[in-house]
Amino acid sequence: MNPWRLRLLTQLDTLGTVRAVAQAASLSPSSVSQQLAVLETETGTQLLERTGRRVRLTSAGLILARRARAILDHMDTVEAELRGFGEEPSGLVRLGAFQSVVHTMAVPAVTRLAREYPHLDVQLQELEPHESVPALRVGDADLVITTTDFAGLPLGPDLDLLPLATDPILLVLPPEHPAAGREPADLTAFADEPWAFDIPQSYMANLALRLCRQARFEPRVVARFSNYMLTLELVEAGHAVALLPGLAVDAGRYRVVTRELASPVTRSITAAIRRGVPPRAAVRVVLDALRPPAAGQPVRST
């Protein structure tokens, strides 16, 4: 069985359609279909069945796709061990992290690793929670920093998790706002404010909308940004208020005021790797670099 075709099969299991697999692999849908047909020939087993215009995995296809993840991970581990036999951790580790932890957690860790392991190459990519776990599952990332609080994020027994930090959700106000005090904020008092939100269906957009609705109002959204720096600039200029994670607020760079919520809300920041064979040495050192100083607990599974 060709490992590349096995990876296409695992991507079909995760992404659901041949078209989505083709986009992820930079191939045409017909090329993906041809390669999967070759894999059926290699295995001598029907792996796919057509339902209308779509293709789905048979029972045998599902079993092979899920076994293939462990096979591919094991191959990656063996390759890394052979490349770095008797040497320090080396090779490429693809680390996915969402925006607010890139500068606060990921970049400092990568900086330390560059000094300690000159043959280790960490490729850092920005991935929001709804993107990072699928990327991890299909093998496009070796390690991700995500959150366990995203309602649309299915975390199952195929992942091992390491808690890293807890981050409060804060109300962010312009510096001259009349409510820029220190006491916790009741969101009901901000029902008539203009709001800046994250892009639709993102973790923070869904959370902010839910909190506003729990306070019994529909927010008047005047701006949507995928970049927290743009949100902070808009708030600083007095054009909106926002709900942001504490790690996203750089109070030294932006003149904004933050207030805790009267009903506190936090998010759990977590590192995740694929469960199965032990992570290769290079992945382990990246994972260790992300741990908070007092953290000594082992990786735990969901």
Side-chain angles (χ1 to χ4, degrees):
M1 289 181 287
N2 182 289
W4 178 62
R5 296 188 188 106
L6 285 176
R7 193 173 297 281
L8 292 178
L9 189 73
T10 65
Q11 289 179 323
L12 181 59
D13 181 33
T14 300
L15 300 176
T17 67
V18 169
R19 184 173 298 278
V21 174
Q23 290 176 342
S26 299
L27 297 170
S28 68
S30 61
S31 295
V32 172
S33 296
Q34 289 169 5
Q35 294 303 318
L36 293 175
V38 172
L39 183 61
E40 285 188 309
T41 302
E42 289 177 337
T43 60
T45 306
Q46 183 182 356
L47 304 175
L48 309 172
E49 59 186 2
R50 184 168 292 279
T51 56
R53 298 176 124 189
R54 300 187 64 179
V55 169
R56 69 180 184 184
L57 296 178
T58 63
S59 297
L62 286 170
I63 290 173
L64 180 58
R66 289 162 192 183
R67 298 282 188 186
R69 288 193 181 93
I71 293 169
L72 294 167
D73 284 346
H74 190 68
M75 291 178 65
D76 289 343
T77 300
V78 171
E79 281 188 28
E81 288 176 349
L82 291 175
R83 285 196 305 268
F85 188 77
E87 299 177 0
E88 64 187 28
S90 61
L92 176 66
V93 175
R94 297 160 299 172
L95 170 62
F98 54 87
Q99 184 183 157
S100 58
V101 299
V102 168
H103 296 292
T104 55
M105 299 178 69
V107 170
V110 171
T111 301
R112 292 196 304 273
L113 289 167
R115 292 194 301 263
E116 297 174 14
Y117 302 102
H119 300 293
L120 179 66
D121 182 16
V122 182
Q123 182 185 84
L124 183 58
Q125 48 189 328
E126 182 185 339
L127 294 173
E128 289 301 307
H130 67 282
E131 301 169 318
S132 61
V133 169
L136 181 64
R137 284 186 166 129
V138 301
D140 289 339
D142 301 301
L143 166 68
V144 299
I145 306 174
T146 186
T147 175
T148 57
D149 305 309
F150 185 42
L153 182 67
L155 296 174
D158 60 325
L159 302 179
D160 282 336
L161 307 180
L162 174 70
L164 297 177
T166 300
D167 191 28
I169 304 301
L170 303 173
L171 177 65
V172 187
L173 304 171
E176 308 303 329
H177 195 284
R182 293 187 177 181
E183 67 279 3
D186 182 350
L187 289 184
T188 306
F190 299 85
D192 296 328
E193 296 283 348
W195 286 83
F197 268 34
D198 206 326
I199 58 175
Q201 301 308 314
S202 65
Y203 168 74
M204 276 309 304
N206 290 348
L207 176 59
L209 182 60
R210 176 167 60 84
L211 293 177
C212 289
R213 287 176 173 173
Q214 286 176 353
R216 301 182 183 280
F217 70 91
E218 196 71 18
R220 179 166 61 92
V221 180
V222 299
R224 286 186 179 272
F225 300 118
S226 62
N227 188 310
Y228 291 147
M229 291 184 289
L230 296 177
T231 301
L232 289 167
E233 287 178 1
L234 190 74
V235 173
E236 181 183 46
H239 298 307
V241 301
L243 286 166
L244 291 178
L247 286 175
V249 182
D250 186 347
R253 182 173 178 180
Y254 299 96
R255 292 182 61 251
V256 295
V257 174
T258 60
R259 289 179 60 182
E260 296 180 354
L261 302 182
S263 298
V265 178
T266 60
R267 61 174 181 171
S268 300
I269 299 173
T270 304
I273 58 174
R274 292 185 297 277
R275 190 178 188 185
V277 296
R280 53 193 172 94
V283 174
R284 285 200 304 271
V285 297
V286 176
L287 192 61
D288 288 341
L290 294 170
R291 296 172 187 256
Q297 68 268 37
V299 173
R300 63 176 180 83
S301 61
T302 56

